[in-house]
Amino acid sequence: MKFGGTSVGDGSRMKHVAELAKEYRDSGNEVVLVTSALSGVTDALLKYAKEASETGKTSSIKEFIADLTKQHHRAAHDAIDGTKNGKKIAEVVTGELDSRIEELEKALIGICYLGELTVRSIDYISSYGERLAAPILCGSLNSIGIRSRSFTGGEAGIITSEEYGNARPLDITYSLVKERIEPMLKDGIPVITGFIGESEAGIITTLGRGGSDFSASIIGAALKADEIWLWKEVHGILTTDPRIVPEARTIPVISYIEAMELSYFGAKVLHPRTIEPAIKHGIPVRVKNTFDPSSPGTIIVKDLKQSKDIVKAVTVIRNVALINISGAWMVGTIGVAARVFTTLANAGVNIIMISQGSSEANISLVVDESHLDKAVKGIKAEFKNGIIKDVTQDRNICVVAVVGAGMANTPGVAGRVFGALGKARVNVIIISQGSSQHNISFAVSGDDAAKAVQVLHREFGLDGEK
Ligand code: ADP
Ligand code: ASP
Ligand code: MG
């Protein structure tokens, strides 16, 4: 069971989480908890690390550390009662938190002096959110009579590549986690930090933002769990982002493939790699609401249930940008596309969408916005005295996708998608449909994204109106 940041947002919520876990254990299950950082903490850590490297102001670091200490001490006191071996559990936990916070402070002050923030240091700093949350949850379990121990991802056996910020678990992870965690299940509930792992050399890595979903799935797969449960503050996977369409409904059952596509196409509810480890052993993944535990949530399963819904959900990817490459000389010149893609790969650019019309006079690409500058610079350098005349860019872009396995072999879905958008006067910039036919995605101006989502949500009856 993984609990997200809002679910462990403060001490009283952590207590609720400990009680929920106890309830499931008391009814005959073996439970492992994976925790996120308290809500907002990862963002704050990243913000202050950046500020430290840019301004070098140690005074603001000291203020931040004082606030962080206060927040976690308060959570510990609210989540934990009771004594163990004659000592107040909350005091033991806050002592542990203080020594971690002291390390964090030293690291941030170090960054102030160095004026440098590497990807490796970002992972190290951002790991503290989860590393401060886990001991509190563990103490809370202890205080209601459950044996527990807290582990960092690395201690639990999550050993990863050294791709900081987006590390992947190495194969050894699965046997190590089993060896280290399984023996604990009979007697208690281990608490493991989500989001973080460790390289083979013992350096802290992270699995990418929102990565605690992925941690839970890795651990569930290693233990061959019966189910992997992701507890959040929403009722499950919804037909679209509820911040865009408040009438979005919970999807009761969805397939692995659909859930993967949803997360690839921007539904923030799942880390994009969450499903991969679950697929290996066919483990069902549930998404449930921490604040309404009796509601069934969404279950993600292997087999496609034939449902009458052709489209299951609509998603949006923000923070992307469009690059347009054009020049009449490109027509018929062999190898232009290869050079563009090689250049972008060498520059480490993530390409989200590609389009080349048969006139061949231009190639359009959608990339991560944070990669735009290096992408444009790379292309201009590669073609500096040649066939490409113009490279233009647009930052105000979103990619919208409709997802549903029922779309495969159902004629007319694309017609409905673009017909509805046309009627609503939404201008479509690039279109893509993979041959899997489980999604249709397209790029629109950022100003039109919410409208596009709302129109398609209604068109496919996802609000329950049709
Ligand atoms: P947690 O960190 O607790 O696991 P997240 O904040 O990462 O949870 O994900 C849940 C959030 O994702 C919701 O609050 C919601 O705003 C957003 N969201 C976006 N698209 C969807 C969707 N299709 N279904 C559910 N939530 C979505
Ligand atoms: N705390 C991390 C983040 O905010 C990981 C997670 O919550 O899943 O990205
Ligand atoms: Mg998340």
Side-chain angles (χ1 to χ4, degrees), residues 210-252:
S212 50
D213 296 332
F214 190 24
S215 306
S217 179
I218 294 168
I219 294 162
L223 298 170
K224 300 208 172 58
D226 296 316
E227 295 197 0
I228 297 162
W229 288 20
L230 309 174
W231 292 88
K232 301 179 182 260
E233 84 279 20
V234 276
H235 273 93
I237 298 182
L238 308 182
T239 47
T240 194
D241 188 333
R243 289 165 298 186
I244 303 178
V245 181
E247 304 78 43
R249 289 185 308 156
T250 308
I251 303 172

Side-chain angles (χ1 to χ4, degrees), residues 2 4-5 36-37 42-43 126 130 194-195 208-213:
K2 171 252 160 162
S36 289
T42 312
D43 286 339
S126 58
E130 275 69 11
F195 181 50
R209 293 305 308 270
S212 50
D213 296 332

Side-chain angles (χ1 to χ4, degrees), residues 36 112 198 211 276 283:
S36 289
C112 284
E198 210 171 276
E276 289 169 27
I283 304 173

Side-chain angles (χ1 to χ4, degrees), residues 9-90:
D10 60 28
S12 66
R13 289 180 175 180
M14 285 205 171
K15 195 170 182 172
H16 170 63
V17 166
E19 279 157 3
L20 256 181
K22 178 178 184 320
E23 203 179 303
Y24 283 97
R25 186 179 156 74
D26 288 349
S27 55
N29 301 289
E30 290 178 333
V31 179
V32 178
L33 289 191
V34 175
T35 185
S36 289
L38 278 64
S39 54
V41 170
T42 312
D43 286 339
L45 289 165
L46 290 167
K47 174 174 165 245
Y48 282 96
K50 187 159 176 273
E51 200 180 294
S53 71
E54 285 169 359
T55 68
K57 259 177 51 195
T58 54
S59 55
S60 76
I61 296 302
K62 293 217 147 61
E63 273 168 39
F64 168 58
I65 291 291
D67 288 346
L68 194 74
T69 307
K70 218 190 284 163
Q71 179 186 17
H72 286 83
H73 276 207
R74 194 181 311 129
H77 286 290
D78 291 346
I80 306 170
D81 323 291
T83 55
K84 192 169 142 188
N85 306 329
K87 281 193 189 145
K88 275 193 153 177
I89 303 173

Side-chain angles (χ1 to χ4, degrees), residues 28 63 108 115 124 198 228 250 278 300 308 318 347 374 393 406 419:
E63 273 168 39
L108 285 170
Y124 177 75
E198 210 171 276
I228 297 162
T250 308
I300 310 169
K308 63 175 183 11
R318 299 181 189 284
K374 61 183 179 187
Q393 59 186 59

